[in-house]
């Protein structure tokens, strides 16, 4: 990962979400919608949303789950064109997604098709929430939205709506870190480390980062 991006503030990044034809690009599944939210200095400043045509049929289950139909994607631009635009949208930024391993697989698979490579970092807001909101009933996005009373339309399985809720969740977690754990200016690298830190070692991570801020 780009060293400069590692040290970028955690409140300056892009939150993104895909809707897809299935669970795995390795099995031939493709993205059918991308939604993303740009956060700058802790504020949502821009959005990106496009339905796209992968050139394959959407299973009925996915149509019912997302509301994205085969007719909708046939009327949309091809994946290559949309992903080229999205590559420009995220240039110079780190990324966040909820259950990021899923979205990262599709991001990299779609970029490979257009010979692009994303060199920034990707952090999982679900893993972060497991450490920051340990008392939540579970760490699904809808549950956390209700648990923290986050802004949103209550529409799930559409890319921009999910990205918006995830963005508010991310900002809520940064606020929690500041208020309850003394983390005033966490970097993206700190948040990445947090998602990899066992719960019983979090206090040590917080103290180490506080000491670094005071140096």
């Amino acid at each position: 990962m780009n060293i400069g991006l590692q040290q970028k503030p955690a409140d300056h990044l892009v939150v993104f979400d895909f809707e897809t034809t299935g669970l795995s690009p390795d099995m031939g599944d493709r993205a059918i919608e991308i939604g993303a939210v740009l956060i700058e200095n802790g504020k949502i400043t821009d959005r990106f949303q496009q339905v796209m045509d992968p050139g394959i049929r959407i299973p009925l289950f996915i149509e019912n789950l997302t509301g994205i139909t085969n007719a909708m994607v046939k009327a949309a631009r091809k994946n290559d064109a949309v992903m080229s635009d999205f590559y420009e949208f995220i240039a110079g930024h780190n990324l966040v997604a909820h259950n990021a391993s899923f979205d990262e697989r599709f991001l990299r698979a779609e970029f490979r098709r257009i010979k692009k490579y994303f060199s920034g970092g990707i952090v999982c807001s679900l893993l972060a929430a497991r450490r920051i909101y340990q008392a939540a009933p579970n760490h699904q996005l809808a549950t956390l939205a209700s648990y923290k009373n986050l802004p949103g339309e209550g529409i799930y399985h559409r890319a921009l709506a999910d990205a918006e809720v995830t963005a508010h969740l991310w900002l809520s977690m940064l606020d929690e870190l500041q208020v309850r754990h003394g983390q005033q200016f966490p970097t993206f690298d700190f948040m990445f480390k947090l998602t990899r830190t066992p719960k019983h070692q979090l206090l040590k991570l917080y103290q180490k980062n506080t000491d670094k801020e005071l140096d």
Side-chain angles (χ1 to χ4, degrees):
M1 179 187 164
N2 183 299
I3 297 298
L5 287 176
Q6 280 184 330
Q7 298 308 315
K8 272 202 163 187
D11 65 354
H12 193 120
L13 41 72
V14 173
V15 182
F16 76 110
D17 182 77
F18 279 111
E19 300 303 334
T20 67
T21 62
L23 297 177
S24 174
D26 294 335
M27 300 297 290
D29 292 314
R30 299 292 304 277
I32 55 175
E33 185 181 36
I34 178 71
V37 174
L38 175 62
I39 298 175
E40 296 179 292
N41 300 317
K43 305 290 184 185
I44 294 174
T45 60
D46 202 0
R47 293 166 175 82
F48 183 102
Q49 184 275 330
Q50 297 251 343
V51 172
M52 49 187 148
D53 179 12
I56 63 174
R57 284 194 62 77
I58 302 172
L60 181 60
F61 167 75
I62 298 296
E63 282 193 323
N64 291 336
L65 179 70
T66 64
I68 301 170
T69 67
N70 282 286
M72 288 168 63
V73 299
K74 283 181 180 178
R77 294 195 301 154
K78 297 291 187 182
N79 283 39
D80 288 4
V82 173
M83 292 307 298
S84 291
D85 287 351
F86 186 62
Y87 184 81
E88 296 299 323
F89 183 80
I90 66 175
H93 298 293
N94 294 306
L95 302 179
V96 166
H98 206 70
N99 191 22
S101 61
F102 173 86
D103 294 282
E104 181 174 2
R105 286 196 300 272
F106 280 93
L107 180 81
R108 297 199 184 281
E110 294 291 343
F111 277 165
R112 278 196 299 271
R113 289 176 175 271
I114 59 172
K115 297 180 170 57
K116 301 289 187 183
Y117 177 76
F118 174 70
S119 62
I122 302 177
V123 159
C124 180
S125 56
L126 186 152
L127 294 180
R130 284 178 178 167
R131 286 150 178 82
I132 297 170
Y133 295 136
Q134 295 183 26
N138 62 59
H139 296 90
Q140 296 175 8
L141 186 58
T143 302
L144 290 167
S146 176
Y147 179 69
K148 296 304 296 181
N149 195 28
L150 301 175
E153 301 299 321
I155 304 167
Y156 295 97
H157 303 299
R158 286 304 300 264
L160 183 58
D162 284 358
E164 291 250 11
V165 174
T166 303
H168 288 296
L169 171 65
W170 184 256
L171 294 173
S172 173
M173 290 192 291
L174 293 182
D175 185 62
E176 184 89 357
L177 286 171
Q178 178 177 345
V179 172
R180 298 197 59 181
H181 302 292
Q183 306 303 302
Q184 300 297 322
F185 306 105
T187 62
F188 184 85
D189 184 57
F190 169 81
M191 296 301 291
F192 182 83
K193 289 177 180 175
L194 182 143
T195 65
R196 299 299 196 271
T197 300
K199 292 175 184 177
H200 69 277
Q201 294 182 5
L202 287 173
L203 286 178
K204 185 183 295 185
L205 176 70
Y206 295 150
Q207 184 60 55
K208 182 178 179 181
N209 196 58
T210 301
D211 291 345
K212 186 188 298 184
E213 289 176 355
L214 294 174
D215 287 344

